[in-house]
Amino acid sequence: MPTTETISAGFLRHRVVLQMPVQARDSMGGTITTWQDLATIWAGIEPLQGKEWFADARDTSEQWTIVTIRYRIGVKPTMRIKFGTTIYDIRAVADIDLRNRKLRLTCREVI
């Protein structure tokens, strides 16, 4: 994590898509969740830890990641980040230093 007041351009080297959930009707009249792209932005991506376990007779992996972006109003834990084919569910949003300059998104990728 950079220690300077602003985020360096080199740190935000990954192009990601911020997505929000949208409720839609399926052909049976039920509700399904689809994802709408909100913005394509630059981000820093830092894997934190990984763990694997055997659950329900199948292998499951979990990867926790910190995604750092420039400050944006309205980013919520119900949203997600798409990086290539990888999807990160946002679990927590923190305004680093409470100065409206950068956001730290604690994310989880379930494989």
Side-chain angles (χ1 to χ4, degrees), residues 11 13 23 26-27 37-38 40 50-52 55 57 86 93 95:
F11 181 73
R13 64 182 171 272
Q23 299 299 317
D26 64 12
S27 61
D37 293 353
L38 285 180
T40 301
K51 60 181 172 179
E52 298 179 11
T86 304
V93 178
D95 180 357

Side-chain angles (χ1 to χ4, degrees), residues 62-74:
E62 185 176 75
Q63 176 67 50
W64 286 90
T65 301
I66 295 294
V67 177
T68 304
I69 62 173
R70 287 189 172 86
Y71 184 83
R72 291 183 66 90
I73 294 174

Side-chain angles (χ1 to χ4, degrees), residues 40-51:
T40 301
I41 55 178
W42 292 102
I45 300 176
E46 301 174 81
L48 285 180
Q49 62 182 348
K51 60 181 172 179

Side-chain angles (χ1 to χ4, degrees), residues 1-95:
M1 182 70 59
T3 58
T4 60
E5 194 64 30
T6 60
I7 304 173
S8 69
F11 181 73
L12 300 180
R13 64 182 171 272
H14 303 290
R15 205 69 169 145
V16 301
V17 179
L18 180 63
Q19 297 181 319
M20 67 178 280
V22 176
Q23 299 299 317
R25 294 274 179 204
D26 64 12
S27 61
M28 302 295 287
T31 303
I32 60 169
T33 301
T34 60
W35 293 91
Q36 177 182 345
D37 293 353
L38 285 180
T40 301
I41 55 178
W42 292 102
I45 300 176
E46 301 174 81
L48 285 180
Q49 62 182 348
K51 60 181 172 179
E52 298 179 11
W53 66 92
F54 192 77
D56 297 329
R58 64 176 187 200
D59 287 322
T60 304
S61 298
E62 185 176 75
Q63 176 67 50
W64 286 90
T65 301
I66 295 294
V67 177
T68 304
I69 62 173
R70 287 189 172 86
Y71 184 83
R72 291 183 66 90
I73 294 174
V75 178
K76 301 175 185 173
T78 56
M79 297 176 174
R80 71 184 193 178
I81 295 287
K82 183 177 179 185
F83 176 54
T85 59
T86 304
I87 302 294
Y88 296 102
D89 291 328
I90 300 173
R91 297 303 188 149
V93 178
D95 180 357

